[in-house]
Amino acid sequence: MFNRISIFTGNAHPKLAKDIAKYLGGKISPALVSRFSDGEVRVKIEENVRGKDVFVVQPTSPPVNENLMELLIMIDALKRASARRITAVIPYFGYARQDRKDQPRVPITAKLVANLLTVAGADRVLTLDLHAGQIQGFFDIPLDHLYAINVFVEYFSKKLKNNLVVVSPDVGGIKMARAYAKRLSAGLAIVDKRRNSPDSTSAIHILGEVEGKNCVLVDDIIATGSSLIEAAKALKRAKSKDIYAAVTHGVLSKDAVKKIENSDIKQLVITDSIPLPPEKRSLKIKVVSVASLLGEAIKRIHEEKSISILFEF
Ligand code: R5P
């Protein structure tokens, strides 16, 4: 397969890119992705890509602007090097939370990033647990949307056998939480969350039965940790048993790790869509890998096979 496809990566998450290439039985293709003395991104693709099906693995995680620019500039270089098709593999799609004009004079950054990727020369996008499914519509090129649900369900179905409730920390997450509840044969509850500011939330009520039950909070992103921690406090007030959290993208900004360590959450399970630097590691945080999911999706895109079949239940 590796004579027809090439996998490249910038500096955002080389480990994940390597694991994906390994799943596919190959190696990452060589590329120089560094900086000029003035800080501009410098890229040189170091193998022939003429006529190849190329995949660039790069989450747009912090440092978001650096990682995004690397991705755009790599796509530009690959296009000019005559790659047949370029797929931007974006395991974490940053700038996604500004996805509508909910106040006067604010941007829609998710749309802007979609435009930038298209103009740079991406032919397709492969991504995972977008903050809002509707972001797919911001692209006029094909986008494959993966879900980490199977990876989390495999983990929790071994760990927590019964007496389980899946909890959505906000109303927007109900659809996903319901899918988890179905697969884990668990109950469903919802937290009535209010966002006070970008970094602060309050959990007002719990809708659903949680008393004496083990709870798994499911969410797409943990950034400051405020949403999860407030939800966990509300679950404790409602006399729940152990509280776990399954969150696809561990952004873990500011002092989120410290807050998790001091919280009612027994374990936070995240995926490796974003690298977890040593200073953010904690005994309370478990990382499960999405490398084989992304690898399988890349294989299927290349072979023009179904992706949705991966999520049939
Ligand atoms: C919100 O709609 C998202 O799904 C997450 O709940 C939110 O982005 C998490 O942010 P934080 O950890 O800062 O509360």
Side-chain angles (χ1 to χ4, degrees):
M1 181 191 252
F2 269 79
N3 52 3
R4 295 184 312 271
I5 76 164
S6 295
I7 310 252
F8 287 92
T9 184
N11 293 302
H13 202 350
K15 164 84 170 68
L16 178 64
K18 268 184 214 149
D19 291 347
I20 292 171
K22 197 170 160 200
Y23 174 87
L24 294 167
K27 283 193 175 147
I28 297 174
S29 295
L32 169 83
V33 186
S34 67
R35 298 290 180 274
F36 288 105
S37 59
D38 58 359
E40 288 181 5
V41 175
R42 179 181 172 208
V43 167
K44 176 146 178 34
I45 305 300
E46 290 179 320
E47 74 170 29
N48 177 23
V49 290
R50 276 180 195 272
K52 278 202 157 181
D53 194 9
V54 170
F55 295 83
V56 187
V57 179
Q58 178 93 330
T60 48
S61 47
V64 184
N65 298 339
E66 292 294 321
N67 290 337
L68 176 61
M69 279 313 288
E70 282 189 0
L71 176 61
L72 295 171
I73 292 169
M74 288 184 81
I75 293 171
D76 183 77
L78 289 160
K79 196 87 197 163
R80 292 174 197 283
S82 305
R84 181 173 59 80
R85 182 172 68 172
I86 303 166
T87 302
V89 181
I90 312 176
Y92 169 67
F93 186 82
Y95 277 122
R97 284 183 289 175
Q98 298 174 70
D99 61 356
R100 62 194 178 283
K101 210 170 158 223
D102 56 356
Q103 296 167 47
R105 299 176 297 282
V106 295
I108 303 180
T109 56
K111 171 65 179 155
L112 173 63
V113 173
N115 287 347
L116 290 171
L117 286 161
T118 311
V119 169
D123 297 297
R124 320 180 54 94
V125 171
L126 172 62
T127 189
L128 174 73
D129 280 336
L130 278 169
H131 175 62
Q134 302 89 298
I135 292 172
Q136 293 172 53
F138 293 173
F139 289 88
D140 286 327
I141 52 175
L143 180 145
D144 289 300
H145 189 196
L146 305 178
Y147 306 92
I149 186 167
N150 293 351
V151 179
F152 284 125
V153 165
E154 195 189 330
Y155 179 79
F156 281 106
S157 56
K158 283 183 197 144
K159 193 176 176 78
L160 302 169
K161 296 268 183 252
N162 42 37
N163 199 24
L164 194 62
V165 184
V166 173
V167 185
S168 173
D170 55 39
V171 176
I174 296 177
K175 199 172 164 214
M176 184 51 76
R178 192 179 291 130
Y180 275 75
K182 215 167 159 186
R183 288 178 200 216
L184 287 164
S185 308
L188 178 66
I190 298 145
V191 179
D192 177 18
K193 168 177 116 175
R194 306 281 152 90
R195 189 164 279 288
N196 311 318
S197 75
D199 291 354
S200 151
T201 59
S202 320
I204 319 286
H205 301 110
I206 304 279
L207 311 173
E209 189 49 61
V210 296
E211 189 172 337
K213 308 221 181 229
N214 291 316
C215 297
V216 181
L217 281 155
V218 296
D219 209 348
D220 57 331
I221 303 172
I222 171 162
T224 63
S226 170
S227 304
L228 276 192
I229 287 160
E230 290 303 313
K233 278 187 198 158
L235 289 172
K236 266 286 159 220
R237 282 198 301 271
K239 301 191 173 56
S240 73
K241 224 174 146 202
D242 293 339
I243 303 166
Y244 295 83
V247 183
T248 308
H249 309 296
V251 175
L252 297 167
S253 47
K254 294 191 166 172
D255 57 349
V257 174
K258 212 166 157 191
K259 276 159 59 183
I260 290 289
E261 281 178 340
N262 297 326
S263 75
D264 295 309
I265 295 169
K266 188 165 180 183
Q267 187 180 45
L268 165 67
V269 187
I270 56 174
T271 77
D272 57 356
S273 67
I274 294 175
L276 186 68
E279 67 277 9
K280 288 189 183 169
R281 294 195 186 143
S282 156
L283 290 175
K284 270 201 177 182
I285 301 178
K286 160 96 187 153
V287 182
V288 290
S289 182
V290 286
S292 49
L293 172 65
L294 289 160
E296 184 60 31
I298 287 173
K299 188 165 159 250
R300 284 171 175 273
I301 289 169
H302 178 69
E303 292 173 348
E304 297 185 346
K305 288 189 178 151
S306 167
I307 299 274
S308 63
I309 206 166
L310 299 175
F311 304 103
E312 277 175 8
F313 177 58

